[in-house]
Amino acid sequence: MIWVDTILQGVLLGGLYALFAAGLSLVFGIMRLVNLAHGDLIVFGAYLILVIVSALGLHPVVGALLAAPLMFCLGWVLQKAVLNRTLGDDILPPLLVTFGLSIAIQNGLLEGFSADSQRLSMGALETASVAVGPVSLGVLPLLTFGSAVAVIVALNQVMYRTAIGRAFRATSDDPVTASLMGIRPDRVFATATALAMLVVTVAALYLGTRANFDPAIGPARLIYAFEAVIIGGLGSLWGTLAGGIVIGVAQTVGAAINPEWQILAGHVAFLVVLLLRPRGLFPRGQ
Amino acid sequence: MSLLETRSLTARYGDFQALFGVDIRLEPGETVAIIGANGAGKTTLMRAITGVLRSAPDSILYRGAPIGDLPADAVMKRGIAMVPEGRRLFPSLSVEENLLIGAQHKGGRDFGDALDDLLTETGRDLRRAFFGPHGLPPRRPGLALGDRLRAAALGPHGLPRHDAGPQHTGAGYWSLETVYDLFPILRERRHSPGTALSGGQQQMVAIGRALISNPDVLLCDEISLGLAPVVIRDIYAALPRIKASGASVIVVEQDIGQALAVADRVYCMMEGRVTLTGKPSEIGRADIHAAYFGAAA
Ligand SMILES: Nc1ncnc2c1ncn2[C@@H]1O[C@H](COP(=O)(O)OP(=O)(O)OP(=O)(O)O)[C@@H](O)[C@H]1O
Ligand SMILES: [Mg+2]
């Protein structure tokens, strides 16, 4: 029974990793851009929620709702003013620029908020749990997982059921021909990053409520997000959820065997999947 | 006033000059054919007109207005649609989505436009503040795919400018239904991936995708390339209905017989120049041969 519990906890933890990864997956799928600042943007989002929450005395969920439009606009401007200029044949410029952005965000947060760790408080919700048969599941992990599924469903709806999703896919296929159809690739990419920043806001909410955070933890979240995206198959959103779950389960199972193995087990699972299925569990197309 | 006109249009790919002062005209209601051997510059001419390659503003006039420096999306929104060489369907989209994508950006301003203008203006102000009234020197599009991507994303001048010109409304005869009536096989295959179709069917999708924006000018680049004669006949059978919907047409053709059969006027190109112009009834085989292959004929 203990194993069922361990695996269920791992699945729920996978929801958190999927949230970290969904925005990265979306942006990569549309413009083949690997955003090395993704983890730091999540941390930035958590601080933004923290500022709103402490200034206005609001619940973190309300704070996240207020932060979302700001993050959306930030994503739009970031893509239009900076990232669009790095796109092209050469994969190095976006890597360099987002790496620089990562460092800039970390140092900016360090200046503004010091290295002290912070936390968003959900109150009683943090310790609440429900009994499902013999196992007891935390309400917050359940909410996280539910949010991850909701985010993935919503992104898939946008991608495959809306006109902007059609433009995302067309531009991803062939930006020059897309522009002949009246699409502005720069605009489409900006919208995609803005959308990804909405997902980042959701990720930031759970990052901040489930554990302490400080300005330096972004890169570690990026690693989990990366691994989830690659395990799932580049560009596949459901694959990203599966990837998150693989890492989450590996971590809790590893930790159950030996608490020191938690982090390592996640990375080992990633390497094993990479060995067995180099293109991930759900490779897209071709 | 001609509907569409190029004046001493030049185009280059990096150091290579592909067009040397091309003058062509398209009158309302006309079908014009452009013929010429491989590498003559026909596709380059289409790319210049559609804004994939930028030119001097005055070297392309549409309804008398200069459009040479407009980006491709702005040219399309004014009412010039393109069936590109090699069809270029979007592999991730179904047949129906490939058609719909041609109709979804017909004009009207949205939230994105507003935000975009705000950003562009702010950027311009900032640049002015930092670099003085003339700003940074404009960038030029180059040869590499990277440059083309960047040009598609940003335009060769850095931040894209907003096109304030008259926007084509896109209202008119063509819709999903009328395109399906024109090419009934597409209705049957509407949910297939666009690239799962035969070459001829893909060509039909590419034509439908261009028509559905209800263009005033339809540019077709080698729509018969690689297709069987019966398929070519089927596709050209659509031309009268396309013309009846009010579009004027430029077809680029390697097949001289086909070009002479459908066109009101023909331009023959060689090595980046127009070498022969005339009505099909007025130009002889020998003229065409000379214009096509050079004076040695
Ligand atoms: N992207 C490019 N980069 C460099 N040179 C190019 C490029 N595209 C075309 N050219 C050159 O420009 C010239 C004109 O090419 P273009 O494609 O316009 O010819 P075309 O008349 O359409 O030929 P075809 O009948 O083979 O399609 C050719 O010499 C070609 O090599
Ligand atoms: Mg050509």
Side-chain angles (χ1 to χ4, degrees), chain B residues 42-44 85 221-222 252:
Chain B
K42 309 179 296 293
T43 298
T44 305
E85 184 173 37
D221 195 349
E222 307 221 21
V252 169

Side-chain angles (χ1 to χ4, degrees), chain B residues 13-260:
Chain B
Y13 297 101
D15 290 337
F16 178 80
Q17 184 160 3
L19 297 181
F20 299 83
V22 170
D23 298 274
I24 66 160
R25 275 183 303 112
L26 176 69
E27 303 297 337
E30 244 188 344
T31 300
V32 160
I34 296 174
I35 60 176
N38 292 116
K42 309 179 296 293
T43 298
T44 305
L45 176 59
M46 296 299 112
R47 286 203 191 118
I49 293 174
T50 51
V52 173
L53 294 173
R54 306 276 187 100
S55 323
D58 290 333
S59 60
I60 307 172
L61 301 179
Y62 178 60
R63 299 183 186 284
I67 61 163
D69 62 338
L70 291 184
D73 65 277
V75 173
M76 180 270 183
K77 283 171 191 151
R78 296 236 182 152
I80 300 177
M82 173 83 164
V83 184
E85 184 173 37
R87 312 185 269 268
R88 308 204 70 116
L89 301 189
F90 299 109
S92 308
L93 271 55
S94 69
V95 166
E96 187 152 301
E97 287 178 317
N98 264 287
L99 294 173
L100 287 172
I101 200 111
Q104 82 185 49
H105 301 273
K106 287 183 298 202
R109 290 175 55 79
D110 56 14
F111 166 76
D113 287 300
L115 204 59
D116 219 55
D117 286 354
L118 182 72
L119 267 177
T120 312
E121 292 302 319
T122 315
R124 204 171 288 153
D125 292 346
L126 279 175
R127 247 172 310 169
R128 224 172 263 141
F130 279 111
F131 301 108
H134 304 297
L136 289 169
R139 280 197 268 163
R140 288 170 48 105
L143 273 178
L145 178 66
D147 289 329
R148 277 170 47 209
L149 263 175
R150 214 168 295 137
L154 291 167
H157 308 297
L159 281 175
R161 343 168 329 168
H162 193 75
D163 176 28
Q167 302 288 299
H168 184 70
T169 61
Y173 176 74
W174 297 107
S175 64
L176 212 47
E177 280 314 304
T178 49
V179 169
Y180 284 148
D181 290 345
L182 184 68
F183 300 122
I185 183 72
L186 300 188
R187 185 180 274 124
E188 285 169 37
R189 305 296 308 272
R190 65 208 290 172
H191 298 304
S192 311
T195 42
L197 271 53
S198 74
Q201 292 164 354
Q202 286 191 30
Q203 194 65 72
M204 294 171 187
V205 177
I207 294 170
R209 184 178 66 174
L211 283 177
I212 208 163
S213 65
N214 283 294
D216 295 330
V217 173
L218 181 69
L219 308 176
C220 301
D221 195 349
E222 307 221 21
I223 48 176
S224 57
L225 193 70
L227 302 180
V230 280
V231 180
I232 297 174
R233 203 189 53 209
D234 282 354
I235 285 179
Y236 269 98
L239 196 59
R241 273 181 74 184
I242 294 173
K243 309 229 50 182
S245 75
S248 309
V249 182
I250 297 182
V251 292
V252 169
E253 259 305 336
Q254 291 261 11
D255 179 340
I256 299 174
Q258 189 64 258
L260 295 179

Side-chain angles (χ1 to χ4, degrees), chain A residues 203-229:
Chain A
L205 173 67
Y206 291 107
L207 173 86
T209 49
R210 293 194 48 169
N212 291 340
F213 59 94
D214 63 65
I217 65 162
R221 309 310 112 169
L222 175 72
I223 300 277
Y224 294 145
F226 249 143
E227 293 181 344
V229 172

